[in-house]
Amino acid sequence: MKYRVHSMFMSLDGYAAGPDQSLEAPMGVGGDRLSAWVFATAYGQAMIGQDGGTTGVDDAWLRRGDVGIGATVMGRNMFGPVRGEWPDESWTGWWGEEPPYHHPVFVVTRFGRPSVAMLGGTTFHFVTDGLRSALAQAQEAADGLDVRIGGGASIV
């Protein structure tokens, strides 16, 4: 079992997202420029439920990032733009009804909520007792497979 980071974008000056994340700007203002290349690939198009895209080196590299992954750990900002206490349980992530993970995902947050089971085998678990706990839970859930550290930058 390994902890792995795949498909994380970063600017040359060290930013992994733009400022002021919102529903209209999931990667922050200007952050979409960091990830535009991903969604030009066939794999990126499939992640957002569209046909098209191109195949090639970038596409193959992205696909390899999913091989052998049994669980993912991510920070709360990667899960969504909601800050502070959860106002309700309506927000279920950026990815729609069937997120691209297809395995357990552990969201590190200070504000707990019940787990959210989604189509395709993704279940989001909200871990309030720190990154070490999230890593331990992910390692157990991965059942011998690798654990992806999905981001954001502070989690990595």
Side-chain angles (χ1 to χ4, degrees):
M1 194 288 306
K2 297 178 186 174
Y3 294 116
R4 296 170 30 193
V5 177
H6 281 279
S7 310
M8 184 171 178
F9 350 100
M10 185 174 290
S11 67
L12 292 175
D13 54 354
Y15 288 94
D20 302 320
Q21 181 189 43
S22 67
L23 285 174
E24 296 76 30
M27 293 291 298
V29 175
D32 56 339
R33 290 179 286 183
L34 295 170
S35 60
W37 65 274
V38 170
F39 300 108
T41 68
Y43 186 70
Q45 289 287 303
M47 287 189 329
I48 57 175
Q50 297 177 2
D51 293 329
T54 60
T55 59
V57 174
D58 290 342
D59 191 70
W61 180 79
L62 284 168
R63 290 177 189 277
R64 280 195 310 270
D66 284 339
V67 175
I69 299 290
T72 293
V73 173
M74 68 174 59
R76 171 128 177 219
N77 290 359
M78 187 167 170
F79 179 74
V82 180
R83 302 294 181 261
E85 293 284 346
W86 298 97
D88 56 44
E89 295 173 8
S90 63
W91 181 261
T92 57
W94 297 108
W95 307 275
E97 294 180 10
E98 188 172 351
Y101 300 100
H102 309 292
H103 56 247
V105 177
F106 297 85
V107 180
V108 179
T109 178
R110 291 187 314 249
F111 302 95
R113 64 180 273 189
S115 296
V116 178
M118 306 292 289
L119 295 176
T122 300
T123 299
F124 293 103
H125 303 281
F126 300 89
V127 180
T128 59
D129 54 346
L131 178 58
R132 287 186 191 272
S133 177
L135 291 170
Q137 291 177 58
Q139 183 177 352
E140 183 175 336
D143 196 27
L145 295 174
D146 293 344
V147 173
R148 177 180 22 233
I149 310 300
S154 62
I155 294 296
V156 172

